[in-house]
Amino acid sequence: MIIIDGKKVSASVKDEVKKETEALIAQGITPGLAVILIGDDPASRVYVNNKKKACEYVGFKSEEFALPASTTQEELLSLVNELNERKDINGILCQLPLPEGLDDNAVIEAISPIKDVDAFHKQNVGRIMIGDYDFLPCTPAGIMEMLSAYDISVDGKKCVVIGRSNIVGKPMAMLLLHENGTVTICHSHTKNLKDITSEADILVAAIGKPKFVTADMVKEGAVVIDVGMDRDEKGKLCGDVDFENVKEKCSYITPVPGGVGPMTIATLMKNTLKAAKLQNDIEW
């Protein structure tokens, strides 16, 4: 059994981005990422701080807009429009979920598709569906990068994704399909879940339930990717997979923390670099 080291893979992705950023800066272009954070959710604050550190490392300019939870929809959309117009900002990211009373979808749709480095805009989502895209959602793209780094082929494999969110589950299924995987999406209404998951060559868990995937749900020799970021009964960080028991059956498995998480931020850096190149008519 091999533990997939997301930190190591993400470091090599960031190093590549850093190298390309230096070349861009030499041409007078510094990629810029704007991050909007509303309210004081501690988990969101941690994510935003990690994104800021990654920007510093690769050489991007990062601007944070920390707004109070009392911010109105109009104020938020006005800020997004302002950032859409700014030439020095190539990527715009609004930390979700938003506080109650604000509309996530309206904000996603307000971000210009060429600055939508999360790839949540309907236009970008549609392009992912047909396989002709500029940006991919950071978590699924990061997972594909990890599989590639470990020479894990998707071609012809039975792939099962547990979870159907717009952020991870659905785009994950599409990316596996683009690589010729045979894909099944499972969710809360799926019957005989264990029968389906135990046939998977590649199993991706993205449901937000601590240690939900148990050893009896996993095929011997499967590749298990854990997208969860949960807390167990003792308050300790864990994933959607019961790591200690499941790892005995896998060929490859991602840990939590140190698996998928670092890849999400590395892919965000990659998307922001690509946005800067596209907006400056530099070939990607």
Side-chain angles (χ1 to χ4, degrees):
M1 182 273 304
I2 294 169
I3 293 176
I4 296 175
D5 188 344
K7 283 184 184 169
K8 189 176 164 189
V9 181
S10 75
S12 68
V13 171
K14 285 189 289 191
D15 284 344
E16 192 58 44
V17 171
K18 184 178 185 173
K19 200 165 79 183
E20 290 202 44
T21 301
E22 283 163 4
L24 271 190
I25 291 170
Q27 296 176 55
I29 300 161
T30 302
L33 177 67
V35 180
I36 303 169
L37 175 63
I38 298 155
D40 47 13
D41 178 65
S44 290
R45 167 47 63 201
V46 169
Y47 286 135
V48 168
N49 287 348
N50 288 342
K51 285 163 186 172
K52 201 187 282 185
K53 275 184 209 152
C55 282
E56 276 170 28
Y57 178 77
V58 299
F60 293 173
K61 182 183 90 154
S62 87
E63 277 191 47
E64 183 188 310
F65 297 85
L67 307 176
S70 58
T71 299
T72 65
Q73 188 79 17
E74 289 70 32
E75 287 166 336
L76 180 53
L77 293 179
S78 164
L79 170 60
V80 169
N81 289 333
E82 197 183 297
L83 294 170
N84 280 337
E85 296 303 316
R86 279 180 53 182
K87 291 274 187 285
D88 62 329
I89 294 292
N90 306 110
I92 303 168
L93 184 149
C94 189
Q95 192 66 42
L96 302 174
L98 297 174
E100 219 168 294
L102 294 173
D103 182 351
D104 289 22
N105 287 331
V107 176
I108 289 166
E109 289 307 300
I111 295 171
S112 164
I114 59 163
K115 294 191 176 187
D116 168 39
V117 286
D118 262 334
F120 293 163
H121 192 285
K122 283 176 189 162
Q123 190 172 309
N124 288 328
V125 172
R127 292 185 65 183
I128 292 160
M129 192 79 183
I130 59 171
D132 171 25
Y133 46 78
D134 288 324
F135 307 117
L136 290 171
C138 299
T139 301
I143 290 168
M144 297 308 287
E145 189 94 43
M146 279 199 299
L147 294 176
S148 166
Y150 279 79
D151 292 322
I152 298 165
S153 170
V154 174
D155 199 312
K157 301 277 177 67
K158 279 189 180 175
C159 306
V160 174
V161 179
I162 312 176
R164 54 175 166 181
S165 74
N166 292 334
I167 292 171
V168 180
K170 287 179 196 167
M172 187 74 245
M174 288 313 304
L175 297 193
L176 291 165
L177 190 59
H178 290 327
E179 292 292 323
N180 303 316
T182 302
V183 185
T184 304
I185 304 178
C186 298
H187 44 79
S188 56
H189 292 242
T190 300
K191 302 274 191 290
N192 306 321
L193 179 65
K194 195 191 292 183
D195 295 347
I196 299 167
T197 59
S198 57
E199 287 197 344
D201 301 309
I202 298 173
L203 179 62
V204 181
I207 45 167
K209 289 188 176 178
K211 302 182 182 178
F212 178 83
V213 175
T214 48
D216 59 344
M217 296 169 71
V218 178
K219 175 182 174 180
E220 198 73 47
V223 175
V224 177
I225 306 292
D226 190 349
V227 183
M229 191 61 87
D230 315 305
R231 299 267 171 196
D232 64 15
E233 61 286 351
K234 294 176 186 156
K236 190 171 173 250
L237 202 59
C238 69
D240 291 350
V241 175
D242 178 6
F243 182 85
E244 287 307 317
N245 293 311
V246 170
K247 71 176 183 183
E248 304 305 325
K249 288 184 86 172
C250 300
S251 55
Y252 294 86
I253 189 169
T254 61
V256 175
V260 174
M263 291 306 303
T264 300
I265 291 178
T267 308
L268 173 66
M269 299 300 106
K270 210 171 164 180
N271 281 353
T272 305
L273 174 69
K274 187 170 190 181
K277 287 186 162 188
L278 290 170
Q279 289 159 41
N280 286 282
D281 295 318
I282 293 167
E283 218 163 280
W284 173 253

